[in-house]
Amino acid sequence: MESLEKQLICPICLDTFTKPVVILPCQHNLCRKCADEVFQASNPYLATRTGSMLASGGRFRCPTCRQEVVLDRHGVQGLQRNLLVENIIDMYRGSRYHTHTHTHTHTHTHTCLSVPSSRPLAPEGPRCASHQQEKLNIFCVSCGVPTCSLCKVFGAHQACEVAPLDQVFLQQQAQLSACISLLVGNNQRTQAVISELEETCSAVTESGRQQQLQVGVACDHLLAALEQRRAALTLRLEAAQQQQLDRVRGERSRCSAHLETSGRLLEAAAHSLERANMAEFLQTAKPLLQKVLRGGAASHLEDVRLGDEDADRFTADFERQRRALATVDFLQDEDEDEDEAAEARGTTAANQEPPLSTGQPTV
């Protein structure tokens, strides 16, 4: 049925032939109305009378094979009707009518029978700018624009390649659908990349937070170790200080006791000098003189240590540890310079416990 329908399409209006159908000398068919339009467009110099051509002959070209058609004095009216094609059209439309009535209700069937037009109804579309009465029913492939049949026959698109409008419509609709699918696919891939970038941002943020926590914990451990070491060193210093204080205080107590004894002896010697009786003086003078001689001796002062000989033995050198803390950094790549590797090894050695020295502070 589709093959038959294609054979019943007029090359001018691209619709089913409308009776009467005329056959050209080249055996191609046209609607008489379409043939008359082509004839009038090809012979604009001929005078008209009441809307029809005068019987003065003329010529035009077949829109299918471009063969020239010479008309007699009757013009288009003199062309022979193709009754066979008209009968086939009637049979084709009758079969379509019966198919239509079997698929609709009686009310719709009555409405279809009341339509007087022999052509199937079609929605109105845009008109040709050059031929206001013609619909845009073909597509100019060369120019890429819709046009009408008259423009192809004798208008601006005579030398152009044309194609049926519905065919080009389906092609370009398919192309647009493919482009839309491609665009949707690209958008989906772009959205996937955006999602991955957002996940990367979240991962970087979380990784940075974890690294900050690790750095904080490591520094807290260093501070705790430093505080613990300070407490140990402070305890040693306090113990040494207490030991020195005990020794000094012991010396001071011994010296104070000696001074008190000397004071009593001095008081007794002065009292003895005040006696007027020589016998009494001589009785007490000799033992008193011996005591005074023993008390006046300074041999007990030789054992007293006046200075702090142990003050310098608790001086510590923290310069290496300070430099080690200043060089604390993240792990480097394997291709770092040898100088940095040597510095890292020196830093590792400097992280050991600081020794206590008996020398002077290192400047």
Side-chain angles (χ1 to χ4, degrees):
M1 184 64 69
E2 292 182 359
S3 177
L4 177 61
E5 184 177 0
K6 291 181 180 179
Q7 298 299 323
L8 300 179
I9 298 299
C10 174
I12 299 299
C13 61
L14 296 180
D15 205 345
T16 308
F17 286 118
T18 301
K19 296 191 297 182
V21 180
V22 295
I23 183 171
L24 304 180
C26 59
Q27 302 303 309
H28 291 122
N29 299 294
L30 293 175
C31 304
R32 179 180 289 177
K33 176 178 176 298
C34 295
D36 187 57
E37 292 176 354
V38 174
F39 176 72
Q40 292 183 35
S42 301
N43 300 271
Y45 55 88
L46 296 179
T48 60
R49 184 181 61 192
T50 65
S52 61
M53 299 301 298
L54 290 174
S56 57
R59 62 184 62 195
F60 67 94
R61 292 187 177 276
C62 173
T64 302
C65 63
R66 308 302 297 167
Q67 179 178 337
E68 188 177 48
V69 178
V70 180
L71 302 178
D72 57 14
R73 60 187 182 86
H74 298 290
V76 176
Q77 300 295 329
L79 293 174
Q80 183 179 358
R81 293 179 61 178
N82 194 334
L83 299 179
L84 177 60
V85 173
E86 292 181 3
N87 293 333
I88 294 175
I89 292 173
D90 292 338
M91 294 174 61
Y92 169 72
R93 288 178 175 167
S95 63
R96 291 187 60 186
Y97 167 75
H98 288 299
T99 303
H100 184 71
T101 54
H102 281 296
T103 56
H104 291 73
T105 60
H106 176 73
T107 303
H108 289 165
T109 303
H110 179 74
T111 303
C112 293
L113 290 175
S114 63
V115 177
S117 175
S118 59
R119 286 193 179 188
L121 296 177
E124 288 291 331
R127 298 288 177 171
C128 178
S130 301
H131 309 90
Q132 298 295 333
Q133 301 300 323
E134 295 295 323
K135 296 186 297 182
L136 298 177
N137 50 16
I138 59 176
F139 187 84
C140 179
V141 179
S142 303
C143 301
V145 294
T147 184
C148 70
S149 303
L150 295 182
C151 289
K152 169 58 181 172
V153 175
F154 44 80
H157 301 279
Q158 293 186 38
C160 297
E161 179 184 359
V162 296
L165 197 65
D166 55 349
Q167 178 181 349
V168 179
F169 166 76
L170 294 176
Q171 291 177 354
Q172 295 193 3
Q173 188 182 46
Q175 293 177 359
L176 182 59
S177 300
C179 292
I180 292 175
S181 301
L182 180 61
L183 182 60
V184 170
N186 291 335
N187 290 343
Q188 292 176 350
R189 288 191 292 272
T190 303
Q191 185 62 44
V193 171
I194 292 175
S195 300
E196 291 181 359
L197 292 176
E198 291 177 350
E199 293 177 358
T200 302
C201 290
S202 301
V204 170
T205 302
E206 180 63 21
S207 176
R209 189 180 69 84
Q210 293 294 333
Q211 293 295 331
Q212 291 178 6
L213 290 177
Q214 292 180 6
V215 170
V217 170
C219 290
D220 291 341
H221 289 169
L222 289 176
L223 291 176
L226 187 61
E227 186 66 27
Q228 182 179 4
R229 190 58 184 166
R230 184 180 70 171
L233 294 177
T234 302
L235 185 61
R236 290 178 60 184
L237 286 172
E238 291 177 351
Q241 179 184 6
Q242 187 63 38
Q243 183 179 2
Q244 291 180 6
L245 288 175
D246 292 342
R247 182 185 61 80
V248 172
R249 287 168 181 169
E251 294 286 348
R252 187 185 66 177
S253 297
R254 188 163 63 87
C255 291
S256 296
H258 180 75
L259 182 62
E260 185 178 357
T261 302
S262 296
R264 289 194 300 269
L265 183 60
L266 181 61
E267 182 179 357
H271 181 68
S272 178
L273 289 176
E274 292 177 355
R275 291 179 181 181
N277 192 322
M278 292 184 291
E280 292 180 356
F281 174 77
L282 291 175
Q283 287 179 349
T284 59
K286 185 176 182 179
L288 182 61
L289 181 60
Q290 292 177 352
K291 292 180 179 179
V292 171
L293 290 174
R294 288 195 301 268
S299 59
H300 67 281
L301 297 178
E302 296 177 357
D303 297 332
V304 178
R305 290 185 297 176
L306 299 178
D308 187 9
E309 298 86 355
D310 298 333
D312 294 337
R313 68 188 182 92
F314 292 103
T315 300
D317 181 12
F318 296 100
E319 182 61 24
R320 288 189 304 167
Q321 285 71 27
R322 187 190 65 80
R323 290 198 301 266
L325 290 176
T327 56
V328 172
D329 201 350
F330 298 103
L331 294 178
Q332 304 294 328
D333 296 334
E334 295 181 357
D335 56 352
E336 290 293 331
D337 297 336
E338 294 182 358
D339 294 339
E340 296 182 358
E343 183 179 355
R345 289 194 296 271
T347 301
T348 304
N351 286 332
Q352 298 177 355
E353 177 180 314
L356 292 174
S357 64
T358 59
Q360 295 296 327
T362 300
V363 180

